[in-house]
Amino acid sequence: MDAQQNTPEIFAPSQAALTALDGAKDQWAQTTIAERLVILQEIKDALVKVSEGWVAAATRAKQLPADSPLQGEEWLSGPYALMGACNGLMQTLSEMDGKAFLNSLPKRKLVTGQTAVKVTPHSIWDRLLLSGVKAEIWMQPGVTEENLPANAATLYDTPRAGRKGKVSLVLGAGNIAAIAPLDAFQKLFVENQVVILKMNPVNEYLAEYLSAALRPLIDRDALRIVKGAGDVGAWLTEHPLVEEIHITGSEITHDAIIWGVGEEGRANREAGTPRVDKRITSELGAVCPTIVVPGNWSAADIRFQAEHLATQKLHNSGFNCVACQALIMPKGWEQGAALLKQLQQVMGESQRLAYYPGAQDRLDRFRGHGNSVSAVSRGKAPAAVITRLEDDPWFCENEVFAPALSTHELEAPDAEQYLKAAIDFANESLHGTLGANIVIHPSTVKEIGRERFEALIGELRYGTIAINAWTGLGFLMTACPWGAFPGHTLDDVQSGIGTVHNTFMLESVERTVVEAPFRPFPRSAMAGSPTLLPRPPWFITNRRQHEVGRLLTLFQYQPGWLKLPRIFLNALLG
């Protein structure tokens, strides 16, 4: 009570929240699996009731027209992802006895000697709704099929009565709606910690919807959601009741928390004395690359992959930590010019406004570092800026967080040598290790050889690697761990430390590898590939993604065969 009485009024709601959480942290850690299953179902029931309002609020805040198909982005990266996480956690928890949830996950030994665990497809629904998409988690060296149980859900190994809780602070991101609640789920269900979730001012309008959806956790004093500017976040990071911190944001914000700013920050870093003596995990973005591998592409392939590349850049209007920023192309590839021309055409057709604060300043700064600058006109939206990486080392070192990218050409004597050189370039020259994309024709993979291709993937040091997909798909599939490649430190944090999501609760993970069909259905079938995925609903060019996103969210809430025809029809019309 004394602490609350002496707390400035601006921090009083956060102080009250921390007091309640601290009093309930051990009780939460000792909550039975049966109770957690009840809570997750209650969250699903509450979430489905507020999903329409959630998406409508995000549509307004992001300045989208009320009838825009791009509302599908808000469905998929909001309620859908959170509903999927509930389902994944419920499945894992229901099979926690003896860690039986691991038994149904296919495992294999990679050419690198590591163990890979396939997490998608995992059900008949995955095979139908994400036809041809697969995701594997590559474990760190030393993890084998035999010792995998010792590297999964280890906090659940402690007898329930002996578990001790902690209070963790989650500093929410302002761009993608599901980030904050999914980060909180990591702390709550995987790490057994109660959470004070500090909303980002950019999207704190979501607090009312999250408070309603996550009411089962709030009622049990396992979660509190607070608002406020940076001063509230700074106060929370230093509060003695906060024992751990997770941040999704920028490296600048992370370093300000850990080391301080200005002269204080420099002195603390040089002395190796962090301001905050707490465990801190993070996801901080990167200069993410897309490597285009040369091959014999048809005109339809070029158009489809141009839409794919444009999506990697302009999904959420370019305000994604895993947006493509470095487009690596093969020098002398005959079809390269046609691909870039189509890419600029698709980008020009995407005329959504830049809603995130500071976008124009970042675009101007980005443009200012270029010697050869192209601007793709997009109507009332700010022009998309394209530069060359070699114009300034700055482009390799700074995430733009806006509709801008740089291109870079590498010699391509053959596909294998080019891919090796591109991987080396990404590893050695680009800042961060969050996500990397590779676009490659299936016949080119055969030309390289599947084992050699897998070995090359093993050299690419990123937390999520997407082959003929966008790494953002790894974010949406919450069975996949999400975060940087392991090994970063507080002193050189780059894309962050630790992972989130990961509903199978695997530990000692190294990366996620997502792979999707090179061609959409029906062209995939005509080429002999047994996949049924049409133009993906996360593509910015999908004309029905708002309907598909809504229907998929309702399907996640309550799967059923009778719901499939409408989903398939709208997917084909997209």
Side-chain angles (χ1 to χ4, degrees):
M1 181 65 71
D2 291 341
Q4 294 189 47
Q5 289 177 342
N6 295 328
T7 300
E9 183 176 353
I10 190 175
F11 304 131
S14 296
Q15 178 62 56
L18 287 172
T19 301
L21 292 168
D22 187 60
K25 62 184 180 183
D26 289 342
Q27 180 181 341
W28 172 254
Q30 296 166 18
T31 303
T32 66
I33 285 176
E35 178 68 7
R36 292 187 178 201
L37 290 170
V38 169
I39 291 169
L40 286 163
Q41 182 59 53
E42 289 176 348
I43 291 172
K44 289 180 62 178
D45 293 339
L47 174 59
V48 76
K49 295 176 183 177
V50 301
S51 292
E52 291 273 4
W54 172 334
V55 171
T59 297
R60 292 190 297 270
K62 294 187 177 183
Q63 305 173 32
L64 289 171
D67 60 349
S68 172
L70 293 174
Q71 289 182 71
E73 293 184 4
E74 300 310 313
W75 279 106
L76 292 174
S77 62
Y80 169 84
L82 188 55
M83 197 77 78
C86 289
N87 288 337
L89 288 168
M90 290 173 75
Q91 179 173 15
T92 297
L93 290 170
S94 66
E95 300 176 357
M96 185 61 71
D97 189 22
K99 299 186 182 175
F101 61 88
L102 296 174
N103 297 339
S104 61
L105 299 177
K107 299 101 179 165
R108 69 184 181 101
K109 190 173 183 178
L110 299 161
V111 296
T112 63
Q114 296 164 263
T115 299
V117 182
K118 183 184 285 187
V119 295
T120 300
H122 188 256
S123 68
I124 183 62
W125 308 127
D126 291 341
R127 297 180 188 281
L128 290 171
L129 297 174
L130 289 173
S131 179
V133 174
K134 67 177 183 179
E136 287 186 325
I137 299 173
W138 290 19
M139 307 301 292
Q140 294 181 23
V143 178
T144 65
E145 185 171 347
E146 290 71 29
N147 67 22
L148 188 62
N151 290 277
T154 55
L155 286 181
Y156 285 82
D157 294 340
T158 302
R160 192 166 57 85
R163 296 176 190 165
K164 296 294 183 182
K166 291 182 178 181
V167 177
S168 60
L169 165 65
V170 170
L171 296 171
N175 57 335
I176 294 293
I179 290 177
L182 290 176
D183 289 352
F185 272 24
Q186 168 73 24
K187 291 295 187 181
L188 285 155
F189 293 101
V190 182
E191 301 182 29
N192 280 334
Q193 300 179 19
V194 296
V195 172
I196 182 165
L197 170 57
K198 160 66 172 64
M199 297 297 293
N200 189 298
V202 176
N203 64 0
E204 66 179 15
Y205 60 86
L206 291 172
E208 66 173 289
Y209 301 99
L210 291 177
S211 294
L214 304 180
R215 176 58 56 185
L217 292 164
I218 295 171
D219 287 345
R220 291 166 173 85
D221 290 331
L223 174 70
R224 288 291 187 275
I225 301 174
V226 298
K227 301 179 182 180
D231 54 350
V232 175
W235 181 83
L236 284 167
T237 62
E238 299 179 5
H239 198 287
L241 291 182
V242 171
E243 297 164 87
E244 294 197 7
I245 301 170
H246 179 80
I247 174 175
T248 297
S250 72
E251 188 174 351
I252 293 172
T253 301
H254 173 276
D255 286 352
I257 294 170
I258 296 298
W259 306 108
V261 297
E263 185 57 39
E264 178 198 14
R266 285 189 294 272
N268 284 335
R269 190 186 289 271
E270 289 175 4
T273 54
R275 293 177 67 253
V276 177
D277 185 21
K278 304 172 182 181
R279 177 177 180 254
I280 181 167
T281 53
S282 50
E283 189 266 87
L284 306 173
V287 179
C288 294
T290 294
I291 299 170
V292 176
V293 182
N296 185 19
W297 295 14
S298 68
D301 293 336
I302 290 172
R303 174 65 189 189
F304 179 75
Q305 294 302 338
E307 294 180 25
H308 186 190
L309 296 177
T311 297
Q312 293 179 10
K313 178 69 265 182
L314 294 180
H315 179 280
N316 197 36
S317 200
F319 305 117
N320 286 328
C321 53
V322 75
C324 168
Q325 187 171 323
L327 180 59
I328 302 175
M329 297 286 294
K331 185 178 293 185
W333 181 40
E334 292 181 355
Q335 293 162 306
L339 177 62
L340 291 175
K341 181 178 179 180
Q342 287 283 315
L343 170 61
Q344 293 195 30
Q345 179 180 331
V346 178
M347 293 175 74
E349 294 167 356
S350 175
Q351 300 187 5
R352 65 177 299 177
L353 302 177
Y355 72 90
Y356 209 90
Q360 192 58 58
D361 289 342
R362 291 191 296 276
L363 281 171
D364 291 343
R365 185 162 60 250
F366 190 89
R367 184 194 297 263
H369 285 273
N371 297 327
S372 177
V373 179
S374 299
V376 180
S377 177
R378 300 194 301 141
K380 293 182 179 179
V385 179
I386 302 176
T387 64
R388 299 180 305 183
L389 277 180
E390 58 268 27
D391 283 355
D392 191 328
W394 186 91
F395 290 123
C396 294
E397 298 164 359
N398 294 273
E399 180 186 3
V400 62
F401 209 68
L405 60 80
S406 300
T407 61
H408 185 65
E409 289 190 337
L410 293 174
E411 296 291 343
D414 61 46
E416 179 184 346
Q417 292 182 68
Y418 164 79
L419 181 55
K420 168 64 175 169
I423 287 171
D424 289 344
F425 177 84
N427 285 339
E428 297 164 8
S429 302
L430 301 180
H431 186 78
T433 63
L434 184 60
N437 313 286
I438 297 175
V439 180
I440 184 168
H441 195 286
S443 63
T444 308
V445 176
K446 291 181 181 178
E447 174 190 325
I448 294 173
R450 190 71 201 192
E451 287 195 358
R452 176 57 180 158
F453 181 66
E454 186 173 281
L456 287 169
I457 296 302
E459 296 180 17
L460 187 54
R461 298 191 297 271
Y462 284 81
T464 299
I465 297 171
I467 302 164
N468 294 329
W470 175 41
T471 46
L473 182 55
F475 174 92
L476 293 178
M477 297 190 298
T478 53
C480 300
W482 181 255
F485 193 80
H488 297 312
T489 63
L490 291 179
D491 192 48
D492 183 22
V493 73
Q494 296 208 32
S495 289
I497 298 170
T499 62
V500 291
H501 305 183
N502 187 19
T503 56
F504 286 111
M505 303 188 189
L506 298 176
E507 300 167 14
S508 301
V509 301
E510 185 179 77
R511 75 188 84 200
T512 296
V513 178
V514 178
E515 190 163 359
F518 180 76
R519 305 179 182 91
F521 179 83
R523 284 200 304 114
S524 57
M526 295 167 61
S529 176
T531 62
L532 301 175
L533 185 69
R535 177 186 282 116
W538 54 88
F539 269 37
I540 62 172
T541 51
N542 190 299
R543 298 180 295 271
R544 300 294 295 170
Q545 63 165 291
H546 56 312
E547 275 300 304
V548 176
R550 183 180 67 84
L551 292 170
L552 285 175
T553 301
L554 295 175
F555 187 90
Q556 285 277 21
Y557 172 60
Q558 202 167 59
W561 290 99
L562 295 179
K563 295 182 178 180
L564 293 177
R566 288 185 67 194
I567 295 175
F568 288 154
L569 175 61
N570 279 280
L572 289 171
L573 292 174

PDB file of all heavy atoms in Angstrom, residues 357-376:
ATOM      1  N   PRO A 357       3.962   6.156 -37.641  1.00  0.00           N
ATOM      2  CA  PRO A 357       4.632   7.447 -37.414  1.00  0.00           C
ATOM      3  C   PRO A 357       6.089   7.432 -37.871  1.00  0.00           C
ATOM      4  O   PRO A 357       6.801   6.442 -37.708  1.00  0.00           O
ATOM      5  CB  PRO A 357       4.544   7.612 -35.887  1.00  0.00           C
ATOM      6  CG  PRO A 357       3.365   6.803 -35.472  1.00  0.00           C
ATOM      7  CD  PRO A 357       3.330   5.626 -36.404  1.00  0.00           C
ATOM      8  N   GLY A 358       6.515   8.540 -38.451  1.00  0.00           N
ATOM      9  CA  GLY A 358       7.910   8.712 -38.850  1.00  0.00           C
ATOM     10  C   GLY A 358       8.271   8.113 -40.179  1.00  0.00           C
ATOM     11  O   GLY A 358       9.449   8.135 -40.565  1.00  0.00           O
ATOM     12  N   ALA A 359       7.288   7.577 -40.912  1.00  0.00           N
ATOM     13  CA  ALA A 359       7.599   6.874 -42.160  1.00  0.00           C
ATOM     14  C   ALA A 359       8.266   7.797 -43.179  1.00  0.00           C
ATOM     15  O   ALA A 359       9.255   7.423 -43.815  1.00  0.00           O
ATOM     16  CB  ALA A 359       6.330   6.264 -42.739  1.00  0.00           C
ATOM     17  N   GLN A 360       7.737   9.000 -43.359  1.00  0.00           N
ATOM     18  CA  GLN A 360       8.299   9.881 -44.381  1.00  0.00           C
ATOM     19  C   GLN A 360       9.726  10.289 -44.038  1.00  0.00           C
ATOM     20  O   GLN A 360      10.586  10.359 -44.928  1.00  0.00           O
ATOM     21  CB  GLN A 360       7.427  11.125 -44.547  1.00  0.00           C
ATOM     22  CG  GLN A 360       7.779  11.942 -45.784  1.00  0.00           C
ATOM     23  CD  GLN A 360       7.660  11.137 -47.073  1.00  0.00           C
ATOM     24  OE1 GLN A 360       6.606  10.604 -47.391  1.00  0.00           O
ATOM     25  NE2 GLN A 360       8.754  11.049 -47.830  1.00  0.00           N
ATOM     26  N   ASP A 361      10.005  10.534 -42.775  1.00  0.00           N
ATOM     27  CA  ASP A 361      11.371  10.883 -42.382  1.00  0.00           C
ATOM     28  C   ASP A 361      12.326   9.720 -42.679  1.00  0.00           C
ATOM     29  O   ASP A 361      13.452   9.948 -43.152  1.00  0.00           O
ATOM     30  CB  ASP A 361      11.425  11.221 -40.890  1.00  0.00           C
ATOM     31  CG  ASP A 361      10.761  12.542 -40.567  1.00  0.00           C
ATOM     32  OD1 ASP A 361      10.560  13.352 -41.499  1.00  0.00           O
ATOM     33  OD2 ASP A 361      10.434  12.776 -39.382  1.00  0.00           O
ATOM     34  N   ARG A 362      11.875   8.496 -42.405  1.00  0.00           N
ATOM     35  CA  ARG A 362      12.739   7.346 -42.671  1.00  0.00           C
ATOM     36  C   ARG A 362      12.953   7.153 -44.169  1.00  0.00           C
ATOM     37  O   ARG A 362      14.053   6.810 -44.614  1.00  0.00           O
ATOM     38  CB  ARG A 362      12.150   6.083 -42.031  1.00  0.00           C
ATOM     39  CG  ARG A 362      12.192   6.109 -40.513  1.00  0.00           C
ATOM     40  CD  ARG A 362      11.864   4.756 -39.903  1.00  0.00           C
ATOM     41  NE  ARG A 362      10.503   4.322 -40.194  1.00  0.00           N
ATOM     42  CZ  ARG A 362       9.429   4.690 -39.496  1.00  0.00           C
ATOM     43  NH1 ARG A 362       9.569   5.523 -38.462  1.00  0.00           N
ATOM     44  NH2 ARG A 362       8.233   4.247 -39.810  1.00  0.00           N
ATOM     45  N   LEU A 363      11.887   7.374 -44.951  1.00  0.00           N
ATOM     46  CA  LEU A 363      12.028   7.275 -46.407  1.00  0.00           C
ATOM     47  C   LEU A 363      12.992   8.338 -46.935  1.00  0.00           C
ATOM     48  O   LEU A 363      13.834   8.050 -47.809  1.00  0.00           O
ATOM     49  CB  LEU A 363      10.667   7.442 -47.074  1.00  0.00           C
ATOM     50  CG  LEU A 363       9.741   6.226 -47.075  1.00  0.00           C
ATOM     51  CD1 LEU A 363       8.358   6.614 -47.565  1.00  0.00           C
ATOM     52  CD2 LEU A 363      10.315   5.110 -47.933  1.00  0.00           C
ATOM     53  N   ASP A 364      12.891   9.553 -46.429  1.00  0.00           N
ATOM     54  CA  ASP A 364      13.786  10.623 -46.886  1.00  0.00           C
ATOM     55  C   ASP A 364      15.230  10.305 -46.529  1.00  0.00           C
ATOM     56  O   ASP A 364      16.154  10.536 -47.332  1.00  0.00           O
ATOM     57  CB  ASP A 364      13.373  11.956 -46.254  1.00  0.00           C
ATOM     58  CG  ASP A 364      12.041  12.471 -46.784  1.00  0.00           C
ATOM     59  OD1 ASP A 364      11.597  11.985 -47.844  1.00  0.00           O
ATOM     60  OD2 ASP A 364      11.447  13.348 -46.127  1.00  0.00           O
ATOM     61  N   ARG A 365      15.434   9.776 -45.327  1.00  0.00           N
ATOM     62  CA  ARG A 365      16.799   9.417 -44.917  1.00  0.00           C
ATOM     63  C   ARG A 365      17.335   8.287 -45.790  1.00  0.00           C
ATOM     64  O   ARG A 365      18.493   8.304 -46.216  1.00  0.00           O
ATOM     65  CB  ARG A 365      16.804   9.020 -43.444  1.00  0.00           C
ATOM     66  CG  ARG A 365      18.192   8.751 -42.882  1.00  0.00           C
ATOM     67  CD  ARG A 365      18.194   8.803 -41.365  1.00  0.00           C
ATOM     68  NE  ARG A 365      17.297   7.816 -40.766  1.00  0.00           N
ATOM     69  CZ  ARG A 365      16.164   8.106 -40.146  1.00  0.00           C
ATOM     70  NH1 ARG A 365      15.757   9.374 -40.064  1.00  0.00           N
ATOM     71  NH2 ARG A 365      15.418   7.165 -39.609  1.00  0.00           N
ATOM     72  N   PHE A 366      16.499   7.309 -46.064  1.00  0.00           N
ATOM     73  CA  PHE A 366      16.893   6.183 -46.921  1.00  0.00           C
ATOM     74  C   PHE A 366      17.278   6.693 -48.312  1.00  0.00           C
ATOM     75  O   PHE A 366      18.334   6.347 -48.854  1.00  0.00           O
ATOM     76  CB  PHE A 366      15.725   5.203 -47.005  1.00  0.00           C
ATOM     77  CG  PHE A 366      16.040   3.883 -47.656  1.00  0.00           C
ATOM     78  CD1 PHE A 366      16.501   2.817 -46.903  1.00  0.00           C
ATOM     79  CD2 PHE A 366      15.858   3.704 -49.017  1.00  0.00           C
ATOM     80  CE1 PHE A 366      16.780   1.594 -47.494  1.00  0.00           C
ATOM     81  CE2 PHE A 366      16.135   2.487 -49.627  1.00  0.00           C
ATOM     82  CZ  PHE A 366      16.590   1.427 -48.856  1.00  0.00           C
ATOM     83  N   ARG A 367      16.426   7.540 -48.873  1.00  0.00           N
ATOM     84  CA  ARG A 367      16.687   8.089 -50.203  1.00  0.00           C
ATOM     85  C   ARG A 367      17.996   8.886 -50.212  1.00  0.00           C
ATOM     86  O   ARG A 367      18.762   8.840 -51.185  1.00  0.00           O
ATOM     87  CB  ARG A 367      15.519   8.989 -50.615  1.00  0.00           C
ATOM     88  CG  ARG A 367      15.624   9.552 -52.020  1.00  0.00           C
ATOM     89  CD  ARG A 367      14.602  10.679 -52.188  1.00  0.00           C
ATOM     90  NE  ARG A 367      13.241  10.226 -52.049  1.00  0.00           N
ATOM     91  CZ  ARG A 367      12.454   9.925 -53.073  1.00  0.00           C
ATOM     92  NH1 ARG A 367      12.914  10.021 -54.309  1.00  0.00           N
ATOM     93  NH2 ARG A 367      11.210   9.542 -52.871  1.00  0.00           N
ATOM     94  N   GLY A 368      18.263   9.569 -49.126  1.00  0.00           N
ATOM     95  CA  GLY A 368      19.442  10.419 -49.075  1.00  0.00           C
ATOM     96  C   GLY A 368      20.759   9.664 -49.117  1.00  0.00           C
ATOM     97  O   GLY A 368      21.799  10.256 -49.452  1.00  0.00           O
ATOM     98  N   HIS A 369      20.741   8.402 -48.804  1.00  0.00           N
ATOM     99  CA  HIS A 369      21.972   7.608 -48.851  1.00  0.00           C
ATOM    100  C   HIS A 369      22.221   6.976 -50.219  1.00  0.00           C
ATOM    101  O   HIS A 369      23.258   6.347 -50.423  1.00  0.00           O
ATOM    102  CB  HIS A 369      21.922   6.498 -47.789  1.00  0.00           C
ATOM    103  CG  HIS A 369      22.146   6.999 -46.399  1.00  0.00           C
ATOM    104  ND1 HIS A 369      23.405   7.145 -45.848  1.00  0.00           N
ATOM    105  CD2 HIS A 369      21.271   7.403 -45.442  1.00  0.00           C
ATOM    106  CE1 HIS A 369      23.296   7.600 -44.610  1.00  0.00           C
ATOM    107  NE2 HIS A 369      22.019   7.772 -44.339  1.00  0.00           N
ATOM    108  N   GLY A 370      21.273   7.140 -51.148  1.00  0.00           N
ATOM    109  CA  GLY A 370      21.414   6.489 -52.446  1.00  0.00           C
ATOM    110  C   GLY A 370      22.028   7.390 -53.492  1.00  0.00           C
ATOM    111  O   GLY A 370      21.829   8.607 -53.492  1.00  0.00           O
ATOM    112  N   ASN A 371      22.772   6.786 -54.400  1.00  0.00           N
ATOM    113  CA  ASN A 371      23.299   7.510 -55.555  1.00  0.00           C
ATOM    114  C   ASN A 371      22.402   7.315 -56.775  1.00  0.00           C
ATOM    115  O   ASN A 371      22.208   8.215 -57.577  1.00  0.00           O
ATOM    116  CB  ASN A 371      24.712   7.026 -55.888  1.00  0.00           C
ATOM    117  CG  ASN A 371      25.697   7.309 -54.766  1.00  0.00           C
ATOM    118  OD1 ASN A 371      25.573   8.314 -54.071  1.00  0.00           O
ATOM    119  ND2 ASN A 371      26.657   6.420 -54.569  1.00  0.00           N
ATOM    120  N   SER A 372      21.888   6.102 -56.909  1.00  0.00           N
ATOM    121  CA  SER A 372      20.974   5.780 -57.996  1.00  0.00           C
ATOM    122  C   SER A 372      19.651   5.377 -57.369  1.00  0.00           C
ATOM    123  O   SER A 372      19.496   4.265 -56.868  1.00  0.00           O
ATOM    124  CB  SER A 372      21.538   4.641 -58.849  1.00  0.00           C
ATOM    125  OG  SER A 372      20.642   4.258 -59.854  1.00  0.00           O
ATOM    126  N   VAL A 373      18.690   6.285 -57.391  1.00  0.00           N
ATOM    127  CA  VAL A 373      17.432   6.087 -56.670  1.00  0.00           C
ATOM    128  C   VAL A 373      16.273   6.016 -57.655  1.00  0.00           C
ATOM    129  O   VAL A 373      16.152   6.857 -58.543  1.00  0.00           O
ATOM    130  CB  VAL A 373      17.181   7.237 -55.666  1.00  0.00           C
ATOM    131  CG1 VAL A 373      15.852   7.032 -54.951  1.00  0.00           C
ATOM    132  CG2 VAL A 373      18.329   7.336 -54.670  1.00  0.00           C
ATOM    133  N   SER A 374      15.434   4.986 -57.491  1.00  0.00           N
ATOM    134  CA  SER A 374      14.190   4.883 -58.253  1.00  0.00           C
ATOM    135  C   SER A 374      13.029   5.086 -57.295  1.00  0.00           C
ATOM    136  O   SER A 374      13.069   4.621 -56.152  1.00  0.00           O
ATOM    137  CB  SER A 374      14.065   3.514 -58.917  1.00  0.00           C
ATOM    138  OG  SER A 374      15.120   3.296 -59.827  1.00  0.00           O
ATOM    139  N   ALA A 375      12.013   5.767 -57.762  1.00  0.00           N
ATOM    140  CA  ALA A 375      10.822   5.982 -56.956  1.00  0.00           C
ATOM    141  C   ALA A 375       9.625   5.435 -57.714  1.00  0.00           C
ATOM    142  O   ALA A 375       9.344   5.868 -58.839  1.00  0.00           O
ATOM    143  CB  ALA A 375      10.634   7.468 -56.654  1.00  0.00           C
ATOM    144  N   VAL A 376       8.939   4.480 -57.115  1.00  0.00           N
ATOM    145  CA  VAL A 376       7.772   3.873 -57.740  1.00  0.00           C
ATOM    146  C   VAL A 376       6.536   4.636 -57.268  1.00  0.00           C
ATOM    147  O   VAL A 376       6.169   4.580 -56.096  1.00  0.00           O
ATOM    148  CB  VAL A 376       7.652   2.388 -57.379  1.00  0.00           C
ATOM    149  CG1 VAL A 376       6.421   1.776 -58.036  1.00  0.00           C
ATOM    150  CG2 VAL A 376       8.910   1.637 -57.786  1.00  0.00           C
TER     151      VAL A 376
END
